[in-house]
Amino acid sequence: MEKQIEIAYSFGEQAHVSMFRGKFAVVKVLDTLRSNMKKVDIPNTISILAFEVANTIVKGYNLMQSLLEENIQIFSKEILHSEGVQLLVSTDIKELLRIASADKREEFEVFLKEVVRFGYRCRDPQWHALNHYFSRLRLEPIKRKHLQKEVEIAMQELTNLAQYTYELFHELHALERFEHLYSCKIEEVESQNLPRKGKGLMILQSELKNQRKLVSNLKKKSLWSKNLEEVMYKLVDVATFIHCAIVDSFEENVERKKANEKTERLGIHGLALHYANLITQMDIIASRSICVLPNMRDKLYNDLPASVKAELRYRLRDLDSKEVMTMPQIKAEMEKVLHWLIPIAIDTVKAHQCFGCVGEWAKTGNEFRKKTSTGNNIIRLQTLYHADKQKMDRYILDLAIYLHRLINLVKNQDKIPEYSPA
């Protein structure tokens, strides 16, 4: 497959390299792609690829929404200065901006690779040179205001198509169930030598017919029946706009040279979700301290990082038995941390649940068509991905000690004999 892509790229490069050269290449290339499209008549419907294309459209939509001016303002004024980001990631705003810029660029590169891959699926070889075009775009960026209105219209058209594709995805599954039920009913009727005119079978046959008609209509309305080249030039417009928006919003005031990263970040080591689950377990145990089951407590302890376990054993030996904290005091101390840590853990889990291909947009449903805000368009800085592991371990350790005190307090209360009147 990779060899075929290399051959296709080579052919496209030789046939159309002049399209990408010259002083005004970057600005004019989109118009060239569109005008050349009109000259060729190569039927190339998207078909089964529709679900992957819809997934890519949702990624592009979410990226565009995250780069809206109002969301950039929320990011700058709220997220960067939020308690969780300041305590777990960094207090250096320039460092946080660098991290956010790198994240947004990485997110864009994932989207871009998919657009380029779809280009190779086109029969017209001009689309096989998109890698070259986007490489030039990095060197000669254009202002997004020149593209904004046209791209907004293109994205609206794409999201409409993606919505119908989402519906098709689910109706195809429903059709499969109907066909299975109908097949089983036929076998049942034939095994009993009954005629195929029974009421139950006729109803099922009618439902199956209606479902096939619904699927057929959705195929016509969705990406399934669209020409891939027609969708491609819209995706290229979107990708160009997003690139320019990232430069305008993040990279103009961010140092491009990455400093030596010595901090151990949870996400880089694949630990973000594990720590999010730890925090959730702690919150559950704290809220149910009166009836904590032994298996819940044991599971939490087993899930603790090795370094935290070792430190916990050491700290528990040094606890002052005379130091008395009431249950409300313990819970109040835990709440000081959990009130800002729990939302981060929840966002971390949500971010991981959205990971995937078709599932990413299929689970989203109608949500991606709504105006996205930073509340449901989660960025990495809102999760545990960039959390400093050493800092996070200290919070986990403190919470574990408070939980130990809480559980012991409940046990000691249980040992006090109940008062019984004489």
Side-chain angles (χ1 to χ4, degrees):
M1 182 62 183
E2 291 180 357
K3 185 64 176 175
Q4 291 174 337
I5 290 175
E6 289 175 4
I7 293 172
Y9 178 83
S10 176
F11 176 71
E13 183 88 347
Q14 293 171 10
H16 297 277
V17 69
S18 61
M19 178 177 68
F20 295 100
R21 289 180 176 166
K23 183 176 180 181
F24 303 105
V26 174
V27 180
K28 292 185 176 181
V29 66
L30 299 177
D31 291 334
T32 305
L33 288 171
R34 293 192 201 93
S35 61
N36 285 349
M37 258 194 59
K38 297 175 184 177
K39 298 175 185 177
V40 295
D41 184 19
I42 308 174
N44 187 19
T45 55
I46 296 175
S47 189
I48 194 65
L49 196 64
F51 308 116
E52 293 182 51
V53 176
N55 185 56
T56 300
I57 289 170
V58 174
K59 286 180 181 176
Y61 176 84
N62 288 335
L63 261 170
M64 278 186 61
Q65 291 295 309
S66 71
L67 294 165
L68 289 176
E69 186 176 348
E70 61 195 82
N71 284 332
I72 293 297
Q73 288 293 321
I74 293 173
F75 167 77
S76 300
K77 294 179 179 179
E78 297 180 18
I79 296 176
L80 287 183
H81 300 279
S82 65
E83 196 170 4
V85 170
Q86 293 280 308
L87 291 173
L88 292 178
V89 185
S90 176
T91 56
D92 185 342
I93 297 299
K94 287 186 178 179
E95 173 67 6
L96 292 174
L97 285 171
R98 185 196 64 74
I99 290 172
S101 176
D103 280 349
K104 197 57 63 178
R105 177 57 61 184
E106 184 179 333
E107 191 179 349
F108 174 64
E109 289 299 326
V110 171
F111 169 74
L112 198 61
K113 285 178 182 178
E114 294 179 11
V115 174
V116 171
R117 178 168 64 87
F118 296 143
Y120 283 123
R121 298 293 292 265
C122 294
R123 293 175 184 173
D124 184 352
Q126 69 175 319
W127 296 101
H128 303 171
L130 288 178
N131 256 332
H132 193 91
Y133 161 61
F134 286 118
S135 295
R136 287 297 301 268
L137 185 63
R138 294 185 184 96
L139 299 175
E140 302 176 31
I142 57 180
K143 291 295 180 182
R144 59 173 161 172
K145 63 181 180 180
H146 298 149
L147 293 169
Q148 186 159 355
K149 188 173 182 180
E150 188 172 350
V151 169
E152 286 174 354
I153 294 172
M155 180 51 78
Q156 183 60 54
E157 293 172 356
L158 290 174
T159 53
N160 288 338
L161 289 170
Q163 174 62 26
Y164 284 124
T165 307
Y166 161 80
E167 293 173 15
L168 174 63
F169 179 82
H170 290 279
E171 296 304 335
L172 278 170
H173 280 284
L175 176 60
E176 186 179 4
R177 291 194 297 272
F178 275 119
E179 288 177 337
H180 177 71
L181 288 172
Y182 183 72
S183 177
C184 290
K185 191 66 177 177
I186 289 290
E187 289 180 6
E188 180 186 337
V189 168
E190 291 180 347
S191 67
Q192 297 177 8
N193 295 319
L194 297 173
R196 293 191 178 186
K197 295 183 179 180
K199 185 177 180 180
L201 186 60
M202 296 295 288
I203 291 173
L204 194 56
Q205 190 176 34
S206 175
E207 289 176 343
L208 178 59
K209 182 179 179 181
N210 290 335
Q211 188 63 24
R212 284 173 175 165
K213 185 177 180 180
L214 176 60
V215 167
S216 177
N217 288 336
L218 284 173
K219 283 184 176 180
K220 293 174 184 176
K221 292 180 179 180
S222 68
L223 289 160
W224 186 282
S225 300
K226 298 304 174 184
N227 184 281
L228 183 56
E229 281 81 359
E230 290 178 359
V231 173
M232 278 304 301
Y233 80 74
K234 290 184 176 69
L235 284 174
V236 172
D237 274 357
V238 169
T240 303
F241 175 81
I242 291 172
H243 168 80
C244 299
I246 291 173
V247 173
D248 290 348
S249 301
F250 289 99
E251 297 186 355
E252 286 185 349
N253 299 314
V254 177
E255 294 180 10
R256 291 181 180 272
K257 185 177 180 181
K258 185 177 179 179
N260 292 328
E261 180 65 72
K262 295 180 181 180
T263 305
E264 191 176 2
R265 305 287 182 185
L266 293 182
I268 295 171
H269 296 279
L271 296 172
L273 184 59
H274 179 72
Y275 275 72
N277 290 330
L278 270 178
I279 295 162
T280 304
Q281 288 180 61
M282 289 180 159
D283 184 50
I284 292 172
I285 292 175
S287 63
R288 301 177 183 175
S289 55
I290 295 177
C291 56
V292 176
L293 299 175
N295 63 329
M296 292 174 63
R297 183 190 58 210
D298 294 343
K299 184 180 187 309
L300 173 62
Y301 180 79
N302 291 330
D303 287 345
L304 291 175
S307 59
V308 174
K309 283 182 186 178
E311 183 67 18
L312 179 62
R313 288 192 293 267
Y314 175 78
R315 291 277 296 276
L316 291 180
R317 285 199 302 266
D318 288 350
L319 276 181
D320 187 352
S321 59
K322 294 181 181 179
E323 183 185 347
V324 178
M325 288 185 72
T326 64
M327 190 178 294
Q329 286 174 332
I330 294 172
K331 289 192 172 185
E333 289 300 316
M334 294 187 71
E335 180 60 24
K336 288 179 183 178
V337 176
L338 289 174
H339 90 275
W340 58 263
L341 196 51
I342 285 293
I344 299 175
I346 291 172
D347 283 343
T348 303
V349 174
K350 284 181 181 178
H352 277 263
Q353 286 174 342
C354 288
F355 179 77
C357 191
V358 173
E360 180 176 327
W361 61 270
K363 289 179 182 178
T364 307
N366 294 324
E367 290 300 315
F368 78 88
R369 297 193 68 196
K370 297 177 182 178
K371 189 175 183 180
T372 306
S373 67
T374 49
N376 49 31
N377 188 28
I378 300 166
I379 62 174
R380 278 181 175 174
L381 277 174
Q382 291 174 278
T383 73
L384 292 171
Y385 188 90
H386 290 295
D388 183 324
K389 186 178 182 302
Q390 288 187 354
K391 293 178 181 178
M392 192 69 250
D393 282 349
R394 287 198 294 271
Y395 286 113
I396 293 292
L397 176 62
D398 289 342
L399 289 170
I401 292 172
Y402 281 124
L403 280 177
H404 172 80
R405 287 179 163 182
L406 197 61
I407 293 170
N408 279 348
L409 190 60
V410 172
K411 284 181 180 179
N412 291 332
Q413 285 179 341
D414 291 341
K415 292 176 183 178
I416 300 173
E418 294 183 4
Y419 170 74
S420 56

